[in-house]
Coordinates of all heavy atoms in Angstrom, one line a residue:
L1 N 84.7 93.3 25.7 CA 83.2 93.1 25.9 C 82.9 92.5 27.3 O 83.7 91.6 27.8 CB 82.7 92.1 24.8 CG 83.0 92.4 23.4 CD1 82.3 91.4 22.5 CD2 82.5 93.8 23.0
A2 N 81.8 92.9 27.9 CA 81.4 92.3 29.1 C 80.3 91.2 28.7 O 79.3 91.6 28.1 CB 80.8 93.4 30.0
L3 N 80.6 90.0 29.1 CA 79.7 88.9 28.8 C 78.6 88.7 29.9 O 77.5 88.9 29.8 CB 80.4 87.6 28.5 CG 81.5 87.7 27.4 CD1 82.2 86.3 27.2 CD2 80.8 88.0 26.1
S4 N 79.1 88.2 31.0 CA 78.3 87.9 32.2 C 79.1 87.7 33.4 O 80.1 87.0 33.4 CB 77.4 86.7 32.0 OG 76.8 86.3 33.2
P5 N 78.8 88.5 34.5 CA 79.6 88.3 35.7 C 79.5 86.9 36.4 O 80.2 86.5 37.2 CB 79.1 89.4 36.6 CG 77.7 89.7 36.1 CD 77.8 89.5 34.7
E6 N 78.4 86.2 35.9 CA 78.1 84.9 36.5 C 78.5 83.8 35.5 O 77.9 82.7 35.5 CB 76.7 84.8 36.9 CG 76.3 85.8 37.9 CD 74.8 85.7 38.3 OE1 74.1 85.0 37.6 OE2 74.3 86.5 39.2
L7 N 79.5 84.0 34.6 CA 79.8 83.1 33.5 C 80.2 81.7 34.1 O 79.8 80.7 33.6 CB 80.9 83.7 32.7 CG 81.3 82.9 31.4 CD1 80.1 82.7 30.5 CD2 82.4 83.6 30.7
G8 N 81.0 81.7 35.1 CA 81.5 80.5 35.7 C 82.4 79.7 34.8 O 82.9 80.2 33.8
A9 N 82.6 78.4 35.2 CA 83.5 77.6 34.4 C 82.8 76.5 33.6 O 83.4 75.5 33.2 CB 84.5 76.9 35.4
G10 N 81.5 76.7 33.4 CA 80.7 75.7 32.6 C 81.1 75.8 31.1 O 81.9 76.6 30.7
A11 N 80.4 74.9 30.3 CA 80.7 74.9 28.9 C 80.3 76.2 28.3 O 79.2 76.8 28.5 CB 79.9 73.8 28.3
L12 N 81.2 76.8 27.4 CA 80.9 78.0 26.7 C 81.2 77.8 25.2 O 82.2 77.3 24.8 CB 81.9 79.1 27.2 CG 81.8 80.5 26.6 CD1 80.4 81.1 26.9 CD2 82.9 81.4 27.0
T13 N 80.2 78.1 24.4 CA 80.3 78.0 23.0 C 80.6 79.3 22.3 O 79.9 80.3 22.6 CB 79.0 77.4 22.4 OG1 78.7 76.2 23.0 CG2 79.1 77.2 20.9
V14 N 81.6 79.4 21.5 CA 82.1 80.6 20.8 C 82.0 80.4 19.3 O 82.6 79.4 18.8 CB 83.5 81.0 21.3 CG1 83.9 82.3 20.6 CG2 83.6 81.1 22.8
G15 N 81.3 81.2 18.6 CA 81.2 81.1 17.2 C 81.0 82.4 16.5 O 80.6 83.4 17.1
A16 N 81.2 82.4 15.2 CA 81.0 83.6 14.4 C 79.5 83.8 14.2 O 78.8 82.9 13.9 CB 81.7 83.5 13.0
A17 N 79.1 85.1 14.4 CA 77.7 85.4 14.1 C 77.4 85.7 12.7 O 76.3 85.7 12.2 CB 77.3 86.6 15.0
H18 N 78.5 86.0 11.9 CA 78.4 86.3 10.4 C 78.9 85.1 9.6 O 79.7 84.3 10.1 CB 79.2 87.5 10.1 CG 78.7 88.8 10.8 ND1 77.4 89.0 11.2 CD2 79.5 89.8 11.3 CE1 77.3 90.2 11.8 NE2 78.6 90.7 11.9
P19 N 78.5 85.0 8.4 CA 79.0 83.9 7.5 C 80.5 84.1 7.3 O 81.0 85.3 7.3 CB 78.2 84.0 6.3 CG 77.7 85.4 6.3 CD 77.5 85.8 7.7
P20 N 81.3 83.1 7.0 CA 82.7 83.3 6.7 C 82.9 84.0 5.4 O 82.2 83.9 4.5 CB 83.2 81.8 6.6 CG 82.0 81.0 6.3 CD 80.9 81.7 6.9
L21 N 84.0 84.8 5.4 CA 84.4 85.6 4.2 C 85.0 84.6 3.2 O 85.7 83.7 3.5 CB 85.4 86.7 4.6 CG 84.9 87.9 5.3 CD1 86.0 88.8 5.6 CD2 83.8 88.6 4.4
A22 N 84.7 84.9 1.9 CA 85.4 84.1 0.9 C 86.7 84.8 0.6 O 86.7 86.0 0.3 CB 84.5 84.2 -0.4
L23 N 87.8 84.1 0.8 CA 89.1 84.7 0.8 C 89.9 84.3 -0.5 O 89.7 83.2 -1.0 CB 89.9 84.3 2.0 CG 89.3 84.6 3.4 CD1 90.1 84.0 4.5 CD2 89.3 86.1 3.6
P24 N 90.8 85.2 -1.0 CA 91.6 84.8 -2.1 C 92.6 83.8 -1.6 O 92.9 83.6 -0.4 CB 92.3 86.2 -2.5 CG 92.2 87.0 -1.2 CD 90.9 86.6 -0.6
P25 N 93.3 83.0 -2.6 CA 94.2 82.0 -2.2 C 95.3 82.4 -1.3 O 95.9 81.6 -0.6 CB 94.6 81.4 -3.5 CG 93.6 81.8 -4.5 CD 93.0 83.1 -4.0
T26 N 95.8 83.7 -1.5 CA 97.0 84.2 -0.8 C 96.6 84.7 0.6 O 97.5 85.1 1.3 CB 97.6 85.3 -1.6 OG1 96.7 86.3 -1.8 CG2 98.2 84.7 -2.9
V27 N 95.4 84.6 1.1 CA 95.0 85.2 2.4 C 94.4 84.1 3.2 O 93.6 83.3 2.7 CB 94.0 86.3 2.2 CG1 93.6 86.8 3.6 CG2 94.6 87.5 1.4
T28 N 94.8 84.0 4.5 CA 94.2 83.0 5.4 C 93.8 83.8 6.7 O 94.5 84.8 7.0 CB 95.1 81.9 5.8 OG1 96.3 82.4 6.4 CG2 95.5 81.1 4.5
I29 N 92.8 83.4 7.4 CA 92.5 83.9 8.7 C 92.4 82.8 9.7 O 91.7 81.8 9.5 CB 91.1 84.6 8.7 CG1 91.2 85.9 7.7 CG2 90.7 85.1 10.1 CD1 89.9 86.6 7.6
D30 N 93.3 82.8 10.7 CA 93.4 81.8 11.7 C 92.7 82.4 13.0 O 92.8 83.6 13.3 CB 94.8 81.4 12.0 CG 95.5 80.8 10.8 OD1 94.8 80.1 10.1 OD2 96.7 81.0 10.6
T31 N 92.1 81.5 13.7 CA 91.4 81.9 15.0 C 92.0 81.2 16.2 O 92.3 80.0 16.1 CB 89.9 81.5 14.9 OG1 89.3 82.2 13.8 CG2 89.2 81.9 16.2
H32 N 92.3 82.0 17.2 CA 92.8 81.5 18.4 C 91.9 81.9 19.6 O 91.7 83.1 19.8 CB 94.2 82.1 18.7 CG 95.1 82.0 17.5 ND1 95.8 80.8 17.2 CD2 95.4 82.8 16.5 CE1 96.5 81.0 16.1 NE2 96.3 82.2 15.6
V33 N 91.4 80.9 20.2 CA 90.5 81.1 21.4 C 91.2 80.7 22.6 O 91.6 79.5 22.7 CB 89.1 80.3 21.2 CG1 88.2 80.6 22.3 CG2 88.5 80.7 19.9
I34 N 91.3 81.6 23.6 CA 92.0 81.3 24.8 C 90.9 81.4 26.0 O 90.3 82.4 26.2 CB 93.1 82.3 25.1 CG1 94.1 82.3 24.0 CG2 93.8 82.1 26.5 CD1 95.2 83.4 24.1
D35 N 90.8 80.3 26.6 CA 89.9 80.2 27.8 C 90.7 80.5 29.1 O 91.3 79.6 29.6 CB 89.2 78.8 27.8 CG 88.0 78.8 28.8 OD1 87.9 79.8 29.6 OD2 87.3 77.8 28.9
A36 N 90.7 81.7 29.5 CA 91.5 82.1 30.6 C 90.7 82.0 31.9 O 91.1 82.5 33.0 CB 92.0 83.6 30.5
R37 N 89.6 81.3 31.9 CA 88.9 81.0 33.1 C 89.6 79.9 34.0 O 89.3 79.7 35.1 CB 87.5 80.5 32.8 CG 86.6 81.5 32.1 CD 85.2 80.9 31.7 NE 85.4 79.8 30.8 CZ 84.4 78.9 30.5 NH1 83.2 79.0 31.1 NH2 84.6 78.0 29.6
F38 N 90.6 79.3 33.3 CA 91.4 78.2 34.0 C 92.8 78.6 34.1 O 93.3 79.4 33.3 CB 91.2 76.9 33.3 CG 89.7 76.5 33.1 CD1 89.0 76.9 32.0 CD2 89.1 75.8 34.1 CE1 87.7 76.5 31.8 CE2 87.7 75.5 33.9 CZ 87.0 75.8 32.8
D39 N 93.5 78.0 35.0 CA 95.0 78.2 35.1 C 95.7 76.8 35.0 O 95.5 75.9 35.9 CB 95.3 78.8 36.5 CG 96.8 79.2 36.6 OD1 97.4 79.3 35.6 OD2 97.2 79.4 37.8
P40 N 96.5 76.6 34.0 CA 96.8 77.5 32.9 C 95.7 77.6 31.9 O 94.8 76.8 31.8 CB 98.0 76.8 32.3 CG 97.8 75.4 32.5 CD 97.2 75.3 33.9
P41 N 95.7 78.7 31.2 CA 94.6 78.9 30.2 C 94.6 77.8 29.1 O 95.6 77.2 28.8 CB 95.0 80.3 29.5 CG 95.8 81.0 30.6 CD 96.6 79.9 31.2
V42 N 93.4 77.6 28.6 CA 93.3 76.6 27.5 C 93.2 77.3 26.2 O 92.4 78.2 26.0 CB 92.0 75.8 27.7 CG1 91.8 74.7 26.6 CG2 92.0 75.1 29.1

């Protein structure tokens, strides 16, 4: 996805636009957010 060419290094909020799914006990979903605007990435 193209977000903005002028995004810069300021505060960026990332969140789900949809409600979370109700999952069965044997399934988990983990989220990994990598901020590669910095070196090393966060």
Side-chain angles (χ1 to χ4, degrees):
L1 307 181
L3 301 180
S4 170
E6 302 177 353
L7 185 59
L12 179 67
T13 303
V14 182
H18 301 325
L21 285 177
L23 302 173
T26 56
V27 177
T28 62
I29 296 179
D30 298 325
T31 299
H32 309 279
V33 182
I34 301 175
D35 191 349
R37 296 177 297 167
F38 304 92
D39 187 20
V42 178

